[in-house]
Amino acid sequence: MAFKFEVVTKFGELSENAKGWKKELTLVSWNERDPKYDIREWDPAHEKMTKGVTFTAEELIQLRDILNEMEIE
Amino acid sequence: MAFKFEVVTKFGELSENAKGWKKELTLVSWNERDPKYDIREWDPAHEKMTKGVTFTAEELIQLRDILNEMEIE
């Protein structure tokens, strides 16, 4: 699979596993398209990644509001 | 791919596309294992799904805190 990507902004890390892969919230441009918010795991060099989920700004705002109404346990 | 899943809790919808698929935050038990927090898209009957990302409670708390510190635009 050949594609280009650029991590425009890294907002934060959700976790890190034993091999150093980190689950991160980022803003990523895929194949030079408009950047999207993105959650997936990245290797320490930020070159390899797992599959993930992308979000629009509206989806991320909804997600934030849902999380703020939950009791996470 | 044969597997079992049970949506234990549906916390909220992030978006809905033209075909009625919804991106949702849920708590899902996969193959009768302990349930995990989960973000993915589901069809209207909640039988078909896209690939998604699962989260531990700790990851979801981190995500919430990151989102609350961002200006989403």
Side-chain angles (χ1 to χ4, degrees):
Chain A
M1 186 164 62
F3 62 92
K4 293 175 75 168
F5 67 89
E6 180 196 1
V7 178
V8 179
T9 313
K10 181 176 149 179
F11 298 104
E13 296 166 9
L14 281 58
S15 63
E16 178 173 348
N17 74 13
K19 290 183 178 176
W21 286 61
K22 290 174 182 172
K23 194 175 285 185
E24 297 175 348
L25 174 63
T26 57
L27 187 68
V28 183
S29 169
W30 303 97
N31 291 316
E32 300 185 338
R33 287 195 291 262
D34 283 346
K36 290 185 173 187
Y37 294 104
D38 189 281
I39 299 177
R40 71 186 64 226
E41 288 172 56
W42 297 84
D43 78 336
H46 237 275
E47 288 168 355
K48 285 184 273 187
M49 66 201 79
T50 63
K51 288 188 189 294
V53 174
T54 62
F55 302 88
T56 64
E58 291 71 24
E59 289 173 332
L60 214 55
I61 289 167
Q62 286 297 319
L63 177 59
R64 181 196 63 198
D65 293 349
I66 293 166
L67 289 171
N68 282 329
E69 284 177 13
M70 288 170 59
E71 253 184 74
I72 307 167
E73 51 191 308
Chain B
M1 185 164 61
F3 62 92
K4 294 175 76 167
F5 67 89
E6 181 196 1
V7 178
V8 179
T9 314
K10 182 175 148 180
F11 299 103
E13 297 167 9
L14 282 57
S15 63
E16 178 173 349
N17 75 12
K19 291 182 178 175
W21 285 62
K22 291 175 181 170
K23 194 176 284 184
E24 297 175 349
L25 174 62
T26 57
L27 187 68
V28 185
S29 169
W30 303 98
N31 291 317
E32 300 185 338
R33 287 195 291 263
D34 283 344
K36 290 186 173 187
Y37 295 104
D38 187 282
I39 300 177
R40 70 185 65 227
E41 289 172 56
W42 297 84
D43 79 335
H46 237 274
E47 289 169 353
K48 284 185 273 187
M49 66 202 78
T50 63
K51 286 186 188 297
V53 174
T54 61
F55 302 88
T56 64
E58 291 71 23
E59 289 173 333
L60 215 55
I61 289 167
Q62 285 297 317
L63 177 59
R64 182 195 63 198
D65 293 349
I66 293 166
L67 289 171
N68 283 329
E69 283 177 12
M70 286 171 61
E71 254 185 71
I72 306 168
E73 49 189 310

